[in-house]
Amino acid sequence: MRKMKSDEVIVDFSYYMPINKKQEEFHKSNAMHKLLIGAYRSGKTYPAIHEAFFVCYDNSNHEFLVARNTWDSLTENIEKDMLRISERANAHKKWDKSKHDLYLHNGTVIRFRPLTMTRAQFKGMNLCGFLIDDPDVDKYKEVISFLYTRLTNPPNIKANYFETIICANYEGHNWLWQQYMRRRPEGGDGMFA
């Protein structure tokens, strides 16, 4: 899908292709906030990871947050998947396992953090976007709301664009579903898709 040159290093995601129309629409959307809802193992995280890398490579020298509910769920799931995909695409320069930070060739840092962190711990990050995988919406609603606010009114951050991605299982008409469906315009991207 994409091949990029960064600091004379070829970063190659050309192997990646969306497997269905919904994934293709997800990547083509210009919305700032993207939500992928589906059943367990329905194919949400794989395109979301690629989209996260695309955002990171479009925004040099920034930070991008990847979050899950707890450290265990983060390291055992999405962190491993992103490292595997990054190695395949030659996308990262350095992996700092102790800090859970992935340094990309263009100066952007992907920070893996659990949603159990406090709002104050997220404040110091200069985010161009975030990916939250399978959040416990009821438990972490306050943190997710805070992260949205950080990207809606970014503190002195000059990114090409900002993007949030959330992958969630369908849990009825919860707060997350309401945020997107209420703010999603008919027939267009708008801010929420």
Side-chain angles (χ1 to χ4, degrees), residues 19-182:
I19 61 169
N20 58 44
K21 187 178 178 192
K22 290 291 181 191
Q23 288 183 4
E24 195 173 314
E25 289 172 4
F26 163 73
H27 288 298
K28 286 182 179 178
S29 170
N30 291 321
M32 179 186 224
H33 305 292
K34 297 180 181 182
L35 174 66
L36 287 166
I37 292 181
Y40 177 70
R41 302 202 49 86
S42 64
K44 303 176 298 289
T45 304
Y46 191 66
I49 288 172
H50 285 84
E51 183 73 10
F53 277 116
F54 301 155
V55 172
C56 289
Y57 268 99
D58 287 344
N59 290 289
S60 298
N61 302 308
H62 284 82
E63 294 174 279
F64 189 90
L65 172 68
V66 175
R68 227 164 183 261
N69 296 321
T70 64
W71 274 116
D72 287 344
S73 69
L74 183 69
T75 58
E76 290 302 314
N77 293 288
I78 197 160
E79 189 177 89
K80 281 184 179 177
D81 289 341
M82 286 194 79
L83 284 168
R84 183 179 43 79
I85 289 167
S86 180
E87 286 172 6
R88 180 174 183 185
N90 190 37
H92 73 274
K93 185 183 217 174
K94 176 184 160 192
W95 164 238
D96 187 331
K97 187 176 181 175
S98 65
K99 290 184 179 177
H100 299 273
D101 289 342
L102 187 65
Y103 295 84
L104 304 184
H105 297 289
N106 70 344
T108 295
V109 181
I110 299 175
R111 302 199 186 281
F112 296 90
R113 301 293 186 269
L115 292 173
T116 54
M117 288 175 45
T118 64
R119 287 174 44 166
Q121 291 172 299
F122 287 111
K123 272 188 182 175
M125 295 184 188
N126 296 316
L127 300 175
C128 65
F130 63 77
L131 163 59
I132 301 176
D133 187 45
D134 198 20
D136 182 332
V137 179
D138 294 330
K139 199 171 190 178
Y140 301 111
K141 176 181 168 184
E142 183 182 328
V143 172
I144 296 168
S145 295
F146 172 73
L147 290 170
Y148 277 131
T149 304
R150 294 278 297 173
L151 290 183
T152 306
N153 302 303
N156 303 317
I157 301 170
K158 302 215 179 336
N160 292 325
Y161 62 94
F162 299 92
E163 187 171 307
T164 71
I165 307 158
I166 297 182
C167 300
N169 292 318
Y170 187 75
E171 297 175 7
H173 294 175
N174 66 16
W175 171 82
L176 189 61
W177 184 90
Q178 290 169 10
Q179 290 297 308
Y180 280 83
M181 297 311 287
R182 187 177 40 141

